[in-house]
Amino acid sequence: MTVKEIDKKIIQNLLPHREPMLLIDKLTNIVPLKSATAIMYVKKKGFYVQGHFPGQPVMPGVLIVEA
């Protein structure tokens, strides 16, 4: 059986991480034991954008490079 997508609920059953450090919302393009594409929805209220530029939420450059 091939799984095409894994949602956040299943990811939480697989990983010990929880909010705010669970930085995966969905997995797609899964090749078992090889690779997958992780999707994270960037939100205005995410901890990583608060205070970077007060009043103007922006994803920090270091996280953009990592993404």
Side-chain angles (χ1 to χ4, degrees):
M1 181 167 101
T2 303
V3 177
K4 293 187 180 204
E5 283 190 3
I6 296 177
D7 66 12
K8 194 168 192 167
K9 191 170 208 154
I10 296 171
I11 292 167
Q12 287 178 328
N13 288 329
L14 297 171
L15 297 176
H17 304 79
R18 294 295 176 261
E19 296 294 343
M21 296 309 296
L22 180 63
L23 300 175
I24 302 173
D25 289 310
K26 180 170 42 171
L27 289 175
T28 63
N29 302 324
I30 299 165
V31 179
L33 302 175
K34 290 192 177 190
S35 65
T37 300
I39 296 174
M40 178 187 142
Y41 301 114
V42 179
K43 301 162 193 88
K44 274 181 143 179
K45 297 198 183 260
F47 75 92
Y48 41 83
V49 299
Q50 300 305 310
H52 198 63
F53 291 107
Q56 296 180 324
V58 65
M59 191 169 180
V62 68
L63 293 179
I64 292 171
V65 169
E66 285 292 320

Coordinates of all heavy atoms in Angstrom, one line a residue:
M1 N 0.8 -1.2 0.0 CA 0.0 0.0 0.0 C 0.9 1.2 0.0 O 1.8 1.4 0.8 CB -0.9 0.0 1.2 CG -1.8 1.2 1.3 SD -3.1 1.0 2.5 CE -2.4 2.0 3.9
T2 N 0.6 2.2 -0.9 CA 1.3 3.4 -1.0 C 0.5 4.6 -0.4 O -0.6 4.7 -0.7 CB 1.7 3.8 -2.5 OG1 2.4 2.7 -3.0 CG2 2.5 5.0 -2.6
V3 N 1.2 5.3 0.5 CA 0.5 6.5 1.1 C 1.0 7.7 0.3 O 2.2 8.0 0.2 CB 0.9 6.6 2.6 CG1 0.3 7.9 3.2 CG2 0.5 5.4 3.4
K4 N 0.0 8.5 -0.1 CA 0.4 9.7 -0.9 C 0.5 11.0 0.0 O 1.3 11.8 -0.3 CB -0.7 10.0 -2.0 CG -0.7 8.9 -3.0 CD -1.6 9.3 -4.1 CE -1.6 8.2 -5.2 NZ -2.0 8.6 -6.5
E5 N -0.2 11.0 1.1 CA -0.1 12.2 2.0 C -0.3 11.7 3.4 O -1.0 10.7 3.7 CB -1.2 13.2 1.7 CG -1.0 14.1 0.5 CD -1.9 15.2 0.5 OE1 -2.8 15.4 1.3 OE2 -1.8 16.0 -0.5
I6 N 0.3 12.4 4.3 CA 0.1 12.2 5.8 C -0.2 13.5 6.4 O 0.5 14.5 6.2 CB 1.4 11.6 6.4 CG1 1.7 10.2 5.8 CG2 1.2 11.5 7.9 CD1 3.0 9.6 6.4
D7 N -1.3 13.5 7.1 CA -1.8 14.8 7.7 C -1.2 15.0 9.1 O -0.5 14.1 9.7 CB -3.3 14.9 7.8 CG -4.0 13.9 8.7 OD1 -3.3 13.3 9.5 OD2 -5.2 13.8 8.6
K8 N -1.4 16.1 9.7 CA -0.8 16.5 11.0 C -1.1 15.6 12.1 O -0.3 15.3 13.0 CB -1.2 17.9 11.4 CG -0.4 18.5 12.4 CD -0.7 20.0 12.5 CE 0.3 20.7 13.4 NZ 0.3 22.1 13.3
K9 N -2.3 15.0 12.1 CA -2.8 14.1 13.2 C -1.9 12.9 13.2 O -1.4 12.4 14.2 CB -4.2 13.8 13.1 CG -4.8 13.1 14.2 CD -6.3 13.0 14.1 CE -6.9 12.9 15.5 NZ -8.2 13.4 15.6
I10 N -1.7 12.3 12.0 CA -0.8 11.1 11.9 C 0.6 11.5 12.2 O 1.3 10.7 12.9 CB -1.0 10.5 10.5 CG1 -2.4 10.0 10.3 CG2 0.0 9.3 10.3 CD1 -2.7 9.5 8.9
I11 N 1.1 12.6 11.8 CA 2.5 13.1 12.1 C 2.7 13.1 13.6 O 3.7 12.7 14.1 CB 2.8 14.4 11.4 CG1 2.8 14.3 9.9 CG2 4.1 15.0 11.9 CD1 2.8 15.5 9.1
Q12 N 1.7 13.6 14.3 CA 1.8 13.7 15.8 C 1.9 12.3 16.4 O 2.5 12.2 17.5 CB 0.6 14.5 16.4 CG 0.8 16.0 16.1 CD -0.4 16.8 16.6 OE1 -1.5 16.3 16.7 NE2 -0.1 18.0 17.0
N13 N 1.3 11.3 15.8 CA 1.4 10.0 16.3 C 2.8 9.4 16.0 O 3.2 8.4 16.7 CB 0.4 9.0 15.7 CG -1.0 9.3 16.2 OD1 -1.2 9.7 17.4 ND2 -2.0 9.1 15.4
L14 N 3.5 9.9 15.0 CA 4.8 9.4 14.6 C 6.0 10.1 15.3 O 7.1 9.5 15.5 CB 5.0 9.5 13.1 CG 4.0 8.7 12.2 CD1 4.2 9.1 10.8 CD2 4.3 7.2 12.4
L15 N 5.8 11.4 15.6 CA 6.9 12.2 16.2 C 6.6 12.6 17.6 O 5.4 12.8 18.0 CB 7.1 13.5 15.4 CG 7.5 13.3 13.9 CD1 7.6 14.7 13.2 CD2 8.9 12.7 13.9
P16 N 7.6 12.8 18.5 CA 7.4 13.3 19.8 C 7.1 14.8 19.9 O 6.7 15.3 20.9 CB 8.7 12.9 20.6 CG 9.7 12.9 19.5 CD 9.0 12.5 18.2
H17 N 7.4 15.5 18.9 CA 7.3 17.0 18.9 C 5.9 17.5 19.0 O 5.0 16.8 18.4 CB 7.9 17.6 17.6 CG 9.4 17.2 17.4 ND1 9.7 15.9 16.9 CD2 10.5 17.8 17.7 CE1 11.0 15.9 16.9 NE2 11.5 17.0 17.4
R18 N 5.6 18.6 19.6 CA 4.3 19.2 19.7 C 4.5 20.7 19.5 O 5.6 21.2 19.4 CB 3.7 18.9 21.1 CG 3.4 17.5 21.4 CD 2.3 17.0 20.4 NE 2.0 15.6 20.6 CZ 2.4 14.6 19.8 NH1 3.3 14.9 18.8 NH2 2.1 13.4 19.9
E19 N 3.3 21.4 19.3 CA 3.3 22.8 19.1 C 4.1 23.5 20.3 O 3.9 23.0 21.4 CB 1.9 23.4 19.0 CG 1.2 22.8 17.8 CD 1.7 23.3 16.5 OE1 2.5 24.2 16.4 OE2 1.4 22.7 15.5
P20 N 4.8 24.5 20.1 CA 5.1 25.2 18.8 C 6.2 24.6 18.0 O 6.6 25.1 17.0 CB 5.4 26.6 19.3 CG 6.2 26.4 20.6 CD 5.5 25.2 21.2
M21 N 6.8 23.5 18.5 CA 8.0 23.0 17.7 C 7.7 21.9 16.7 O 8.6 21.4 16.1 CB 9.1 22.5 18.7 CG 9.6 23.6 19.6 SD 10.2 25.0 18.8 CE 11.6 24.4 17.8
L22 N 6.4 21.6 16.5 CA 6.1 20.7 15.5 C 5.9 21.5 14.2 O 4.9 22.2 14.0 CB 4.7 20.0 15.8 CG 4.3 19.0 14.7 CD1 5.2 17.8 14.5 CD2 2.9 18.4 15.0
L23 N 6.9 21.6 13.4 CA 7.0 22.5 12.3 C 6.6 21.8 11.0 O 7.1 22.1 9.9 CB 8.4 23.1 12.2 CG 8.8 23.9 13.4 CD1 10.2 24.4 13.3 CD2 7.9 25.1 13.6
I24 N 5.8 20.8 11.0 CA 5.3 20.1 9.8 C 3.8 20.0 9.9 O 3.2 19.6 10.9 CB 5.8 18.6 9.8 CG1 7.4 18.6 9.8 CG2 5.3 17.9 8.5 CD1 8.0 17.2 9.8
D25 N 3.1 20.4 8.9 CA 1.6 20.3 8.8 C 1.2 19.2 7.9 O 0.1 18.6 8.1 CB 1.0 21.6 8.3 CG 1.1 22.8 9.3 OD1 0.8 22.6 10.4 OD2 1.6 23.8 8.9
K26 N 2.0 18.7 7.0 CA 1.6 17.7 6.1 C 2.8 17.1 5.4 O 3.8 17.9 5.1 CB 0.6 18.3 5.0 CG 0.1 17.3 4.0 CD -1.0 17.7 3.1 CE -1.0 19.1 2.6 NZ -2.0 19.4 1.6
L27 N 2.8 15.8 5.0 CA 3.8 15.2 4.2 C 3.2 14.8 2.9 O 2.1 14.2 2.9 CB 4.4 14.0 4.9 CG 5.3 14.3 6.1 CD1 5.7 12.9 6.8 CD2 6.5 15.0 5.7
T28 N 3.9 15.0 1.8 CA 3.4 14.6 0.5 C 4.6 14.0 -0.3 O 5.8 14.0 0.2 CB 2.9 15.8 -0.4 OG1 3.9 16.7 -0.6 CG2 1.7 16.5 0.3
N29 N 4.4 13.5 -1.5 CA 5.4 12.9 -2.3 C 6.3 11.9 -1.5 O 7.5 12.0 -1.6 CB 6.3 14.0 -2.9 CG 5.6 15.0 -3.7 OD1 4.6 14.7 -4.4 ND2 6.0 16.3 -3.6
I30 N 5.6 11.0 -0.9 CA 6.3 10.1 0.0 C 6.9 8.9 -0.8 O 6.2 8.3 -1.5 CB 5.4 9.6 1.1 CG1 4.8 10.8 1.9 CG2 6.0 8.5 2.0 CD1 3.6 10.5 2.8
V31 N 8.2 8.7 -0.6 CA 8.9 7.5 -1.1 C 9.4 6.8 0.1 O 10.3 7.2 0.8 CB 10.1 7.9 -2.0 CG1 10.8 6.7 -2.5 CG2 9.6 8.8 -3.2
P32 N 8.7 5.7 0.5 CA 9.0 5.0 1.8 C 10.5 4.7 2.0 O 11.2 4.3 1.1 CB 8.2 3.7 1.7 CG 7.1 4.1 0.8 CD 7.6 5.0 -0.2
L33 N 11.0 5.1 3.2 CA 12.4 4.9 3.6 C 13.4 5.7 2.8 O 14.6 5.5 2.9 CB 12.7 3.4 3.6 CG 11.9 2.5 4.5 CD1 12.3 1.1 4.3 CD2 12.0 3.0 6.0
K34 N 12.9 6.7 1.9 CA 13.8 7.5 1.1 C 13.6 9.0 1.3 O 14.5 9.7 1.7 CB 13.7 7.1 -0.3 CG 14.3 5.7 -0.6 CD 14.5 5.5 -2.1 CE 15.1 4.2 -2.3 NZ 15.5 4.0 -3.7
S35 N 12.4 9.4 1.0 CA 12.2 10.9 1.0 C 10.7 11.2 1.1 O 9.8 10.4 1.0 CB 12.8 11.5 -0.2 OG 12.1 11.0 -1.4
A36 N 10.5 12.5 1.4 CA 9.1 13.0 1.4 C 9.2 14.6 1.4 O 10.3 15.1 1.7 CB 8.4 12.6 2.7
T37 N 8.1 15.2 1.0 CA 8.1 16.7 1.0 C 7.3 17.1 2.2 O 6.1 16.7 2.3 CB 7.4 17.2 -0.3 OG1 8.2 16.7 -1.4 CG2 7.4 18.7 -0.3
A38 N 7.9 17.9 3.0 CA 7.2 18.4 4.2 C 6.6 19.7 3.9 O 7.3 20.6 3.3 CB 8.2 18.5 5.4
I39 N 5.4 20.0 4.4 CA 4.7 21.2 4.2 C 4.4 21.8 5.5 O 3.9 21.2 6.4 CB 3.4 21.0 3.3 CG1 3.8 20.5 1.9 CG2 2.6 22.3 3.3 CD1 2.6 20.2 1.1
M40 N 4.7 23.1 5.7 CA 4.4 23.9 6.9 C 3.7 25.1 6.4 O 4.2 25.9 5.6 CB 5.7 24.2 7.6 CG 5.4 25.1 8.9 SD 7.0 25.6 9.6 CE 6.6 27.2 10.1
Y41 N 2.6 25.4 7.0 CA 1.8 26.6 6.6 C 2.3 27.7 7.5 O 2.2 27.7 8.7 CB 0.3 26.4 6.8 CG -0.2 25.3 6.0 CD1 -0.7 24.1 6.5 CD2 -0.2 25.4 4.6 CE1 -1.2 23.1 5.7 CE2 -0.7 24.3 3.8 CZ -1.2 23.2 4.4 OH -1.6 22.2 3.6
V42 N 2.9 28.8 6.9 CA 3.4 29.9 7.6 C 2.3 30.8 8.0 O 1.5 31.2 7.2 CB 4.5 30.7 6.8 CG1 5.0 31.9 7.5 CG2 5.6 29.8 6.3
K43 N 2.2 31.0 9.3 CA 1.0 31.8 9.8 C 1.5 33.1 10.4 O 2.6 33.2 11.0 CB 0.3 31.0 10.9 CG -0.2 29.7 10.4 CD -0.5 28.7 11.5 CE -0.8 27.3 11.0 NZ 0.4 26.5 10.9
K44 N 0.7 34.2 10.3 CA 1.0 35.5 10.9 C 1.3 35.4 12.4 O 2.1 36.2 12.9 CB -0.1 36.5 10.6 CG -0.1 37.2 9.3 CD -1.2 38.1 9.3 CE -0.8 39.4 8.6 NZ -1.9 40.3 8.5
K45 N 0.6 34.5 13.1 CA 0.7 34.5 14.5 C 1.8 33.4 15.0 O 1.9 33.1 16.2 CB -0.6 34.2 15.1 CG -1.6 35.3 14.9 CD -2.8 35.2 15.8 CE -3.7 36.3 15.5 NZ -3.7 37.5 16.3
G46 N 2.5 32.8 14.0 CA 3.5 31.9 14.4 C 4.6 32.5 15.3 O 5.0 33.6 15.2
F47 N 5.1 31.7 16.2 CA 6.1 32.2 17.2 C 7.4 32.7 16.5 O 8.0 33.6 17.0 CB 6.5 31.1 18.2 CG 7.5 30.1 17.6 CD1 8.8 30.2 17.8 CD2 7.0 29.0 17.0 CE1 9.7 29.3 17.2 CE2 7.8 28.0 16.5 CZ 9.2 28.2 16.6
Y48 N 7.7 32.2 15.3 CA 8.9 32.6 14.6 C 8.8 34.0 13.9 O 9.8 34.5 13.4 CB 9.3 31.5 13.6 CG 8.1 31.0 12.9 CD1 7.5 31.6 11.8 CD2 7.4 29.8 13.3 CE1 6.4 31.1 11.1 CE2 6.3 29.3 12.7 CZ 5.8 30.0 11.6 OH 4.7 29.5 10.9
V49 N 7.6 34.6 13.8 CA 7.5 35.9 13.2 C 7.2 37.0 14.2 O 7.3 38.2 13.9 CB 6.4 35.9 12.1 CG1 6.7 34.9 11.0 CG2 5.0 35.6 12.7
Q50 N 6.8 36.7 15.4 CA 6.5 37.6 16.4 C 7.7 38.3 16.9 O 8.7 37.7 17.3 CB 5.7 37.0 17.6 CG 4.4 36.3 17.2 CD 3.5 37.3 16.4 OE1 3.2 38.4 16.9 NE2 3.0 36.8 15.3
G51 N 7.7 39.6 16.9 CA 8.9 40.4 17.5 C 10.0 40.6 16.5 O 10.9 41.4 16.9
H52 N 10.0 39.9 15.4 CA 11.2 40.1 14.5 C 11.2 41.5 14.0 O 12.2 42.2 14.0 CB 11.0 39.1 13.3 CG 12.3 38.9 12.6 ND1 13.4 38.4 13.2 CD2 12.6 39.1 11.3 CE1 14.4 38.3 12.2 NE2 13.9 38.8 11.1
F53 N 10.1 42.0 13.5 CA 9.8 43.4 13.2 C 8.5 43.8 13.8 O 7.5 43.5 13.2 CB 9.8 43.7 11.7 CG 11.1 43.5 11.0 CD1 11.3 42.4 10.2 CD2 12.1 44.4 11.2 CE1 12.5 42.2 9.5 CE2 13.3 44.3 10.5 CZ 13.5 43.2 9.7
P54 N 8.5 44.4 15.0 CA 7.2 44.6 15.7 C 6.1 45.3 14.8 O 6.4 46.2 14.2 CB 7.6 45.5 16.9 CG 9.0 45.2 17.2 CD 9.6 44.9 15.8
G55 N 4.9 44.7 14.8 CA 3.8 45.2 14.0 C 3.9 44.7 12.6 O 2.9 45.0 11.8
Q56 N 5.0 44.1 12.1 CA 5.1 43.7 10.8 C 5.6 42.2 10.8 O 6.8 42.0 10.6 CB 6.0 44.6 10.0 CG 5.5 46.0 9.8 CD 6.5 46.8 9.0 OE1 7.7 46.7 9.1 NE2 5.9 47.7 8.2
P57 N 4.7 41.2 10.9 CA 5.2 39.9 11.0 C 5.9 39.5 9.7 O 5.4 39.7 8.6 CB 3.9 39.1 11.1 CG 2.8 40.0 11.5 CD 3.3 41.4 11.0
V58 N 7.1 38.9 9.8 CA 7.8 38.4 8.7 C 8.6 37.2 9.1 O 9.1 37.1 10.3 CB 8.8 39.5 8.1 CG1 9.9 39.9 9.1 CG2 9.4 39.1 6.8
M59 N 8.7 36.2 8.3 CA 9.5 35.0 8.6 C 11.0 35.4 8.5 O 11.5 35.9 7.5 CB 9.2 33.9 7.6 CG 9.7 32.6 7.9 SD 9.0 31.3 6.9 CE 9.7 29.8 7.5
P60 N 11.7 35.1 9.6 CA 13.1 35.4 9.6 C 13.9 34.7 8.5 O 13.6 33.6 8.1 CB 13.6 34.8 11.0 CG 12.3 34.8 11.8 CD 11.2 34.5 10.9
G61 N 14.9 35.4 8.0 CA 15.7 35.0 6.9 C 16.3 33.6 7.1 O 16.4 32.8 6.2
V62 N 16.8 33.3 8.3 CA 17.4 32.1 8.6 C 16.4 30.9 8.4 O 16.8 29.8 7.9 CB 18.1 32.0 10.0 CG1 17.1 32.1 11.1 CG2 19.0 30.8 10.1
L63 N 15.2 31.1 8.7 CA 14.2 30.1 8.5 C 13.8 30.0 7.0 O 13.5 28.9 6.6 CB 12.9 30.4 9.4 CG 13.1 30.3 10.9 CD1 11.8 30.6 11.6 CD2 13.6 28.9 11.3
I64 N 13.8 31.1 6.3 CA 13.5 31.1 4.9 C 14.6 30.2 4.2 O 14.3 29.4 3.3 CB 13.5 32.5 4.3 CG1 12.2 33.2 4.8 CG2 13.4 32.4 2.8 CD1 12.2 34.7 4.5
V65 N 15.9 30.4 4.6 CA 17.0 29.7 4.0 C 16.8 28.2 4.3 O 17.0 27.3 3.5 CB 18.3 30.2 4.5 CG1 19.5 29.3 4.1 CG2 18.6 31.6 4.0
E66 N 16.5 27.9 5.6 CA 16.3 26.5 6.0 C 15.1 25.8 5.2 O 15.1 24.7 4.8 CB 16.0 26.4 7.5 CG 17.2 26.5 8.3 CD 18.2 25.4 8.2 OE1 17.8 24.2 8.1 OE2 19.4 25.7 8.2
A67 N 14.0 26.6 4.9 CA 12.9 26.1 4.2 C 13.3 25.8 2.8 O 12.8 24.8 2.2 CB 11.7 27.1 4.2

